[in-house]
Amino acid sequence: LKVGDLYCVRLEDPADPTSIAPWSFTIRSLVTQKGAVTIVDNVIDPTRSERTTLRYGLDQSGMVTVQVFNLAGDLVKTLHRGRVNEGSHTLTWDGTNTAGDIVARGIYFIRVVANGIDEFRKVIVVK
């Protein structure tokens, strides 16, 4: 079923017309974003225990700092600060601040700083 050019209903089993899955889709592959920093699920509702996932890759071991900032540039939470081995790494943010409280609805930025990397990714918190 389509609304204009947008598919809004998909069948989980094409042979069963009662297996309607409205507004669902399948991620077939993850596209790596620039700077080897990729964000998945960048719209989250922390009241429903949703999390955003951040993936980054390092060519060599070194210091890594991953921090969350609000639109005003204030530090909300440090997700990681320390030495990390080369390779792929994954972190999650659950929409809470350093005190463990759920942050206000709005736009937040996750900054990843490492050897050769200084990238920001946007996260939208909805409630």
Side-chain angles (χ1 to χ4, degrees), residues 5-34:
D5 290 332
L6 176 67
Y7 285 96
C8 58
V9 174
R10 190 173 304 274
L11 294 177
E12 290 181 356
D13 177 3
D16 180 8
T18 63
S19 67
I20 293 175
W23 303 105
S24 70
F25 58 92
T26 303
I27 298 175
R28 290 194 169 84
S29 65
L30 198 59
V31 176
T32 302
Q33 297 169 353
K34 114 180 163 176

Side-chain angles (χ1 to χ4, degrees), residues 67-79:
Q67 298 172 308
V68 180
F69 296 91
N70 63 19
L71 266 178
D74 301 320
L75 179 63
V76 172
K77 189 171 192 174
T78 299
L79 300 179

Side-chain angles (χ1 to χ4, degrees), residues 68-124:
V68 180
F69 296 91
N70 63 19
L71 266 178
D74 301 320
L75 179 63
V76 172
K77 189 171 192 174
T78 299
L79 300 179
H80 180 82
R81 180 179 297 153
R83 188 163 179 77
V84 175
N85 292 328
E86 67 181 86
S88 297
H89 301 276
T90 302
L91 290 171
T92 61
W93 180 51
D94 59 1
T96 61
N97 60 20
T98 302
D101 299 324
I102 293 176
V103 298
R105 157 176 65 190
I107 298 173
Y108 293 82
F109 295 96
I110 299 179
R111 183 180 187 192
V112 180
V113 178
N115 188 19
I117 299 173
D118 189 355
E119 294 287 330
F120 286 87
R121 295 295 178 263
K122 181 172 42 175
V123 177
I124 301 171

